[in-house]
Structure formats: structure tokens, C-alpha cells
Amino acid sequence: MSTKTIAITGGLGNLGTKLCNHLIDTTSHNIILIEHPSFITPEKTPDHSAVKVLPIDLGHPSSAKILEVLKDVDTVVHFSAVNPYPNATWSESAQSMDHTFAIFQAAVLHKVRRVVFASSNHVMGGYKDDSAYGPSSVKPSSDPRVGTIPLNPKTLAVSGDAVGYASAKLAGERLAMTLANIYGNTTSFVVLRIGWCQPGENIPSTLSAEGSPPEFLKSSEGADAIEQNAGDQKDEVWFKQMWLSNRDYLAYFDKALTINVPSEDIECEVHGNVRKGFVLVNAMSNNSGAKWNLEETRKWLGAESKDDSFQ
């Protein structure tokens, strides 16, 4: 494999760190980690000659600085968000849109070959409690239903409904699709609607109805004393069915960096997930009973999930 330069936004976060370490171990690529200055610490910064950490606030980027960073970059992987969890406020979500719009447009202007965007299953979270949809029924081309609303009001108070968070992701998807239609022969976009990939070891037994790690839940009087009810038990199954193992996560992103995408116009429905310069797929593990359809994932990424949160 030839040496390339890959820029990762949110590069010192959970997903960025996992991908960076994987690329260090498996490739000879040069890696640029773009991170907000306030999140850069010596403990988080990889000590490797192929890795460079750049302090850039994508919410207030200098266009000249961004373009300078992307010089000679082959691929941009975009994770950066002001709050990457379902309890993101509308203000935080609007700022996350700013991050996405800035880096996507800069990538196109600098003719970056590939942009990989980490979208979210929460774009389709409205299917959670719709009994008309069974296993493998929610496709990447299904109509968006942003937000994942917990059934227990007390859980909702601390975990949020993911509506603002998912709206920012959906806006990024649509911008990627639009830019690909115009610039897809030069800059192509692969969008992965990722499931829940927890920090660290990421084992199924630590998944919960809250849908976020405890340290990212909103403060709420008595939050620590919330007792699970039937709604929580149902929601916990949903969140386990959206799990994305570390192994599957890395396999999906490995493929997203290099797969071929269509170079010609394709007739499709309004939410068609494969177009000129654009591929969008679900990216969860193959969890038993899940509504997520992974057929397009296997077809376009050429990757088969190896894990199941129920096994």
C-alpha cells in the first residue's frame, strides 16, 4: 500500500483515536489529527513520527489555514462535533454543522480525493418504536426520522432525544450528497451511519438505555437513582442492537478509505444512498434482531460484520 496523508477531524476523540492507532499499526500513512485546542493534552497525543496534531477550531476556521492543512491530503475522515452524544443542544448541533460545512467545502476546494463522514444511526432513530418495521427493514435509503426518544421520561431528561444531534448529521449527509453531485469525479464522499461504539474496550455488557456513557449524561436531580422500567428495558434492547464493535468499526472505515464509488450520474429516489461520487450505508455490527439492514454495507464496502452484541 502506498503512503498517503490522511487527516482526521476530532482526531483525539474516541473514534479518532481508535482509527489513528489502527492506521499506525497497519499502514505507512502519514496522519494529521485536527483537534480543538482545548482538547489537546500530552496524554492524548500519539508519540509517533507519522502523526501530527494540529490545533484548529473548525467552528471558527481560517480558510487559509484549513486549505494549508489539506495540501497534499488524500483523505479526510470527519468525526468532529461540539457534542457527539444524543443530549447535544440545538446550539451545539448548529456548531457541529459549522464544523462539517467548513471541512467538506475545504476538501472540495483543495481537491481531496475522498471524504469519509461519520454520520449516525440517530438519523433513523424514529423507527425505534414503529412496530411496522421488523428486523433488517431500515435501509440507508429509508426516509430519515431524526432522533431517538427514550420511553422513560426520567431517562430522557438525562440522555436527551438526539433530535438536534441527528439533524446536524443529516445536514452533513445532504451536503456531502450535493457536493458529490457537482465535484464527485474529483472528491468523493463515503458516509457511514455508525452505531454505538463506546470508548475503550467497548463491550456489549456496558450498553444501556441511556445511549451514552455516564460521564456524558445531563445532570438531573436524582439521575443516579433512576430505576429501570419497562420502557428502559425495551430501549436497552434497541441500543444493544445498534452496537458497533471496535473490530467492525475499523473494518468499515478501512474499506471506506479506498472503495470505488460511482463516477457517473445514477437515477435514484430522493433518499437514494448511492449516487455519483457518493455512497451512504448503515454501519452497525450484525446484532440479532436489529432493524438495521446491512445488505448495502456488504455490497458497497465489501465488509462483513464479525460481531453480535447478543452472542
Side-chain angles (χ1 to χ4, degrees), residues 255-275:
K255 294 292 189 179
L257 297 175
T258 59
I259 63 166
N260 293 324
V261 301
S263 58
E264 304 293 335
D265 292 331
I266 296 176
E267 287 191 19
C268 57
E269 300 297 327
V270 65
H271 299 304
N273 62 301
V274 178
R275 301 164 182 258

CSV table of all heavy atoms in Angstrom, one decimal, residues 255-275:
chain,number,residue,atom,x,y,z
A,255,LYS,N,-12.3,0.0,4.7
A,255,LYS,CA,-12.9,-0.1,3.4
A,255,LYS,C,-13.4,1.3,2.9
A,255,LYS,O,-13.2,1.6,1.7
A,255,LYS,CB,-14.1,-1.0,3.4
A,255,LYS,CG,-13.7,-2.5,3.7
A,255,LYS,CD,-12.9,-3.1,2.6
A,255,LYS,CE,-12.7,-4.6,2.8
A,255,LYS,NZ,-12.0,-5.2,1.7
A,256,ALA,N,-13.9,2.1,3.7
A,256,ALA,CA,-14.4,3.4,3.3
A,256,ALA,C,-13.3,4.3,2.7
A,256,ALA,O,-13.6,5.2,1.9
A,256,ALA,CB,-15.1,4.1,4.5
A,257,LEU,N,-12.1,4.1,3.2
A,257,LEU,CA,-11.0,4.9,2.7
A,257,LEU,C,-10.6,4.6,1.2
A,257,LEU,O,-10.1,5.5,0.5
A,257,LEU,CB,-9.7,4.6,3.5
A,257,LEU,CG,-9.8,5.0,5.0
A,257,LEU,CD1,-8.5,4.5,5.7
A,257,LEU,CD2,-10.0,6.4,5.3
A,258,THR,N,-11.0,3.4,0.7
A,258,THR,CA,-10.4,3.0,-0.6
A,258,THR,C,-11.5,2.5,-1.6
A,258,THR,O,-11.1,2.4,-2.7
A,258,THR,CB,-9.4,1.9,-0.4
A,258,THR,OG1,-10.0,0.8,0.3
A,258,THR,CG2,-8.2,2.4,0.4
A,259,ILE,N,-12.7,2.3,-1.2
A,259,ILE,CA,-13.7,1.6,-2.1
A,259,ILE,C,-13.9,2.5,-3.3
A,259,ILE,O,-13.8,3.8,-3.3
A,259,ILE,CB,-15.0,1.3,-1.4
A,259,ILE,CG1,-15.7,2.6,-0.9
A,259,ILE,CG2,-14.9,0.3,-0.3
A,259,ILE,CD1,-17.1,2.5,-0.6
A,260,ASN,N,-14.3,1.9,-4.4
A,260,ASN,CA,-14.7,2.6,-5.6
A,260,ASN,C,-16.1,3.1,-5.4
A,260,ASN,O,-17.0,2.4,-4.9
A,260,ASN,CB,-14.6,1.8,-6.8
A,260,ASN,CG,-13.2,1.4,-7.2
A,260,ASN,OD1,-12.2,2.2,-7.0
A,260,ASN,ND2,-12.9,0.2,-7.6
A,261,VAL,N,-16.4,4.3,-5.8
A,261,VAL,CA,-17.8,4.8,-5.8
A,261,VAL,C,-18.2,5.2,-7.3
A,261,VAL,O,-17.3,5.4,-8.1
A,261,VAL,CB,-17.9,6.1,-4.9
A,261,VAL,CG1,-17.5,5.7,-3.5
A,261,VAL,CG2,-17.1,7.2,-5.4
A,262,PRO,N,-19.4,5.3,-7.6
A,262,PRO,CA,-19.9,5.6,-8.9
A,262,PRO,C,-19.3,6.9,-9.4
A,262,PRO,O,-19.2,7.9,-8.7
A,262,PRO,CB,-21.4,5.7,-8.8
A,262,PRO,CG,-21.7,4.8,-7.6
A,262,PRO,CD,-20.6,5.0,-6.7
A,263,SER,N,-18.9,6.9,-10.7
A,263,SER,CA,-18.3,8.2,-11.3
A,263,SER,C,-19.3,8.8,-12.2
A,263,SER,O,-19.0,9.9,-12.8
A,263,SER,CB,-17.0,7.9,-12.0
A,263,SER,OG,-17.2,6.9,-13.0
A,264,GLU,N,-20.5,8.1,-12.5
A,264,GLU,CA,-21.5,8.7,-13.4
A,264,GLU,C,-22.8,8.9,-12.6
A,264,GLU,O,-23.0,8.4,-11.6
A,264,GLU,CB,-21.7,7.6,-14.5
A,264,GLU,CG,-20.5,7.2,-15.3
A,264,GLU,CD,-19.9,8.4,-16.1
A,264,GLU,OE1,-20.7,9.3,-16.5
A,264,GLU,OE2,-18.7,8.3,-16.4
A,265,ASP,N,-23.6,9.8,-13.2
A,265,ASP,CA,-24.9,10.0,-12.7
A,265,ASP,C,-25.7,8.8,-12.6
A,265,ASP,O,-25.7,7.9,-13.5
A,265,ASP,CB,-25.7,11.1,-13.5
A,265,ASP,CG,-25.0,12.4,-13.4
A,265,ASP,OD1,-24.4,12.8,-12.4
A,265,ASP,OD2,-25.1,13.2,-14.4
A,266,ILE,N,-26.5,8.6,-11.5
A,266,ILE,CA,-27.3,7.5,-11.3
A,266,ILE,C,-28.7,7.9,-10.9
A,266,ILE,O,-28.9,8.8,-10.1
A,266,ILE,CB,-26.8,6.6,-10.1
A,266,ILE,CG1,-25.4,6.0,-10.4
A,266,ILE,CG2,-27.8,5.5,-9.8
A,266,ILE,CD1,-24.8,5.2,-9.3
A,267,GLU,N,-29.7,7.4,-11.6
A,267,GLU,CA,-31.1,7.7,-11.3
A,267,GLU,C,-31.5,7.0,-10.0
A,267,GLU,O,-31.3,5.8,-9.8
A,267,GLU,CB,-32.0,7.3,-12.4
A,267,GLU,CG,-32.0,8.1,-13.7
A,267,GLU,CD,-33.1,7.8,-14.7
A,267,GLU,OE1,-34.1,7.3,-14.2
A,267,GLU,OE2,-32.9,8.2,-15.8
A,268,CYS,N,-32.1,7.8,-9.1
A,268,CYS,CA,-32.4,7.2,-7.8
A,268,CYS,C,-33.5,8.0,-7.1
A,268,CYS,O,-33.9,9.1,-7.6
A,268,CYS,CB,-31.2,7.1,-6.9
A,268,CYS,SG,-30.4,8.7,-6.5
A,269,GLU,N,-34.1,7.5,-6.1
A,269,GLU,CA,-35.2,8.2,-5.3
A,269,GLU,C,-34.5,9.3,-4.5
A,269,GLU,O,-33.3,9.4,-4.4
A,269,GLU,CB,-35.9,7.2,-4.4
A,269,GLU,CG,-36.5,6.0,-5.1
A,269,GLU,CD,-37.7,6.5,-6.0
A,269,GLU,OE1,-38.3,7.5,-5.7
A,269,GLU,OE2,-37.9,5.8,-7.1
A,270,VAL,N,-35.4,10.1,-3.9
A,270,VAL,CA,-34.9,11.3,-3.2
A,270,VAL,C,-33.9,11.0,-2.1
A,270,VAL,O,-33.0,11.8,-1.9
A,270,VAL,CB,-36.1,12.1,-2.7
A,270,VAL,CG1,-36.9,11.3,-1.6
A,270,VAL,CG2,-35.7,13.5,-2.1
A,271,HIS,N,-34.1,9.8,-1.5
A,271,HIS,CA,-33.1,9.4,-0.4
A,271,HIS,C,-32.2,8.3,-0.9
A,271,HIS,O,-31.7,7.6,-0.1
A,271,HIS,CB,-33.9,9.0,0.8
A,271,HIS,CG,-34.7,10.1,1.4
A,271,HIS,ND1,-34.2,11.4,1.7
A,271,HIS,CD2,-36.1,10.2,1.6
A,271,HIS,CE1,-35.2,12.2,2.2
A,271,HIS,NE2,-36.3,11.5,2.1
A,272,GLY,N,-32.0,8.2,-2.2
A,272,GLY,CA,-31.1,7.2,-2.7
A,272,GLY,C,-29.7,7.3,-2.1
A,272,GLY,O,-29.1,8.4,-2.0
A,273,ASN,N,-29.2,6.2,-1.7
A,273,ASN,CA,-27.9,6.2,-0.9
A,273,ASN,C,-26.7,6.0,-1.8
A,273,ASN,O,-25.6,6.0,-1.2
A,273,ASN,CB,-28.0,5.1,0.2
A,273,ASN,CG,-28.1,3.7,-0.4
A,273,ASN,OD1,-29.1,3.4,-1.1
A,273,ASN,ND2,-27.1,2.9,-0.1
A,274,VAL,N,-26.8,5.7,-3.1
A,274,VAL,CA,-25.7,5.6,-4.0
A,274,VAL,C,-25.9,6.5,-5.2
A,274,VAL,O,-26.9,6.4,-5.9
A,274,VAL,CB,-25.5,4.1,-4.4
A,274,VAL,CG1,-24.4,4.0,-5.4
A,274,VAL,CG2,-25.3,3.2,-3.2
A,275,ARG,N,-25.0,7.4,-5.4
A,275,ARG,CA,-25.1,8.4,-6.4
A,275,ARG,C,-23.7,8.6,-7.0
A,275,ARG,O,-22.7,8.1,-6.5
A,275,ARG,CB,-25.7,9.7,-5.9
A,275,ARG,CG,-27.0,9.6,-5.3
A,275,ARG,CD,-27.4,10.8,-4.4
A,275,ARG,NE,-28.7,10.7,-3.8
A,275,ARG,CZ,-29.8,11.3,-4.2
A,275,ARG,NH1,-29.8,12.0,-5.3
A,275,ARG,NH2,-30.9,11.1,-3.6
